[in-house]
Amino acid sequence: MADEVSKIVDRDGKHMLVCLVDGIPFPVFTGIRERLKKIKSWTPRADDIFLFAYPSSGTHWLWEVVGMLLRGKAERIKVEKEHYMLECSDPETLEKLESPRILNSHIYKEQVPTSILQNNKIVLISRNPKDIAVSWYNHNVADLETDYEGKFSAFYELYRVGNVPNGDWFEYNTVWWKWSRDRENVLWVTYEEAKRDLPSLVEKMAVFLEVSSTPELCQSISDSCSFQKMKQDKHNLIPCELRENMSFYRKGHVGDWKNWFTVAQNEDYDRIFKEKMKDCDLPVEFTI
Ligand code: A3P
C-alpha cells in the first residue's frame, strides 16, 4: 500500500511533502513507513557499522571515509550511500549486501532496535544547526520529491520549531547525545572537527572501528574525500540515472549560515538554542 503523504505548509502557502512515521515527518521515500516498522524487529550482523545523523550533517562525507577505512584504501567505489540507508532499503535488500556493511540513517534513537544500540559500533555525526538550516533548506528546494518552492525566511520559521522533513534538530541530537555518553560502542564526531582536521578524525575513527591505518592512509583518504574531489567523482563516476541529488555536495563550508540568516533570525535562534540546550552539553561550534 502506498504511504500516505502529508504536507507541511509555510507562511507563504508553499508546501513540503512528507510522510509521517511515528509522528515524525520523513521524506516521501516509497514504502518508508512499512520499512521502518520492519527495521524495529530486524537483527543486524555483529560487524555492521551504523552512521546516524540529522540530515545535512555530513553523512555522505563520513560514510565514504568509513568505507575507505574498512577497505584499507583511498579508492572510491561506484556505490551510493542510499543503498545502505535504512529509510531506503528493505531488510531483505540489506540482507543481500556483503559484510562489512556501513549502514546509515536519519531515524531517531527510539526508532532503532535495541540490538543495534547495544551490540553494534555506531558513529553519530552532528553539525551546527544554523548551517544545517541552510543546507537542509537548499536540499529541500532541490529535491523534486519534497516539491518545495519556498523562501529561506519561510523555511526558517518552520525549522526553528522542528516542523520540516526529519523533524526537530534539538530533539534528534539531544536524545542521541544523552544516551551515547560513556558508551563504548559509540563514537560521536562533528562536521566541524572533520573540516578542521580530517586526517586526525580518520585516525580516531580507525581506532574506534578497530581497523589498521597508517598516517599515509589517513592522509590519502582525507585527500580522496575532500569536498571538491567527492563532488567531481560523484558527478563523473555515477551514471546520471543512478546519481543521487547533487545538492548533497553543495558548498561544504562551516559558517555559511552568516550569508543567509538575518540579524533578527540569528538572535532568535540563539535564544531558542540557549533554552533547548540548557540541559545538554553537546559541543556545538557555529564557526571554526
Ligand atoms: P552544505 O549544503 O552546507 O554544502 P549529508 O550528507 O548529511 O546530507 O550532508 C550534506 C552536507 O555535507 C552538504 O553541506 C554537503 O555539501 C556537505 N558535504 C558533502 N561532502 C562533503 C565533503 N567532502 N567535505 C565537506 N562537506 C561535505
Side-chain angles (χ1 to χ4, degrees):
M1 198 177 67
D3 287 320
E4 206 179 298
V5 172
S6 306
K7 283 183 182 175
I8 297 174
V9 182
D10 74 14
R11 56 137 205 247
D12 299 326
K14 304 285 182 190
H15 64 250
M16 287 179 266
L17 301 182
V18 291
C19 176
L20 292 177
V21 186
D22 303 326
I24 301 160
F26 277 89
V28 284
F29 300 128
T30 309
I32 184 172
R33 195 177 282 167
E34 193 53 33
R35 197 170 299 123
L36 293 186
K37 206 158 125 194
K38 282 191 211 164
I39 290 289
K40 282 186 181 152
S41 53
W42 172 64
T43 309
R45 298 176 196 154
D47 62 354
D48 284 339
I49 292 159
F50 288 85
L51 262 61
F52 290 113
Y54 189 89
S56 281
S57 301
T59 328
H60 286 75
W61 185 16
L62 298 182
W63 183 80
E64 205 82 9
V65 166
V66 172
M68 289 186 185
L69 259 180
L70 289 193
R71 294 191 292 278
K73 352 179 209 202
E75 254 171 45
R76 196 165 329 283
I77 54 166
K78 295 183 193 182
V79 176
E80 293 293 45
K81 145 183 141 12
E82 280 60 26
H83 294 292
Y84 292 78
M85 187 175 178
L86 304 186
E87 292 90 317
C88 300
S89 275
D90 284 323
E92 301 82 54
T93 311
L94 295 176
E95 237 14 89
K96 296 182 193 133
L97 302 172
E98 274 178 28
S99 290
R101 299 179 296 189
I102 304 149
L103 300 161
N104 67 92
S105 178
H106 302 310
I107 59 176
Y108 284 62
K109 194 215 133 222
E110 293 72 25
Q111 297 176 302
V112 177
T114 316
S115 63
I116 296 178
L117 298 175
Q118 285 176 349
N119 305 324
N120 288 88
K121 286 196 190 286
I122 297 175
V123 178
L124 281 155
I125 313 164
S126 62
R127 182 183 190 185
N128 87 66
K130 292 181 190 172
D131 278 340
I132 291 200
V134 172
S135 178
W136 195 221
Y137 165 72
N138 279 287
H139 176 77
N140 280 298
V141 285
D143 185 15
L144 298 178
E145 285 176 348
T146 312
D147 193 32
Y148 187 50
E149 295 176 346
K151 296 184 192 133
F152 178 70
S153 53
F155 179 86
Y156 172 77
E157 284 180 13
L158 296 167
Y159 178 77
R160 70 192 283 285
V161 292
N163 190 18
V164 291
N166 288 88
D168 187 16
W169 181 93
F170 293 105
E171 173 72 14
Y172 188 91
N173 283 283
T174 55
V175 172
W176 271 117
W177 175 255
K178 284 176 189 164
W179 167 79
S180 73
R181 306 310 296 139
D182 305 322
R183 288 201 69 95
E184 284 182 2
N185 64 328
V186 176
L187 178 69
W188 193 290
V189 302
T190 70
Y191 183 92
E192 291 76 22
E193 73 176 305
K195 282 295 288 187
R196 190 168 28 243
D197 183 355
L198 189 55
S200 297
L201 180 62
V202 177
E203 208 177 317
K204 189 159 108 181
M205 284 176 145
V207 173
F208 171 72
L209 297 170
E210 299 176 89
V211 294
S212 59
S213 72
T214 59
E216 293 72 31
L217 178 66
C218 295
Q219 186 59 56
S220 50
I221 291 177
S222 303
D223 295 343
S224 299
C225 292
S226 72
F227 179 76
Q228 287 309 337
K229 187 89 179 77
M230 271 186 75
K231 184 170 185 159
Q232 187 186 32
D233 284 359
K234 289 287 168 181
H235 198 270
N236 296 341
L237 288 178
I238 313 280
C240 215
E241 66 279 12
L242 298 180
R243 200 183 296 153
E244 63 203 1
N245 188 327
M246 284 305 282
S247 71
F248 289 122
Y249 308 96
R250 187 187 63 92
K251 199 162 178 185
H253 289 177
V254 174
D256 191 32
W257 62 268
K258 290 181 188 162
N259 299 314
W260 291 76
F261 276 56
T262 61
V263 172
Q265 282 166 344
N266 191 34
E267 284 172 4
D268 174 59
Y269 202 80
D270 283 345
R271 193 180 44 72
I272 296 171
F273 186 87
K274 204 169 158 197
E275 168 62 25
K276 297 259 182 174
M277 298 298 278
K278 66 177 187 298
D279 299 323
C280 180
D281 58 357
L282 165 66
V284 180
E285 294 173 88
F286 290 102
T287 50
I288 56 170

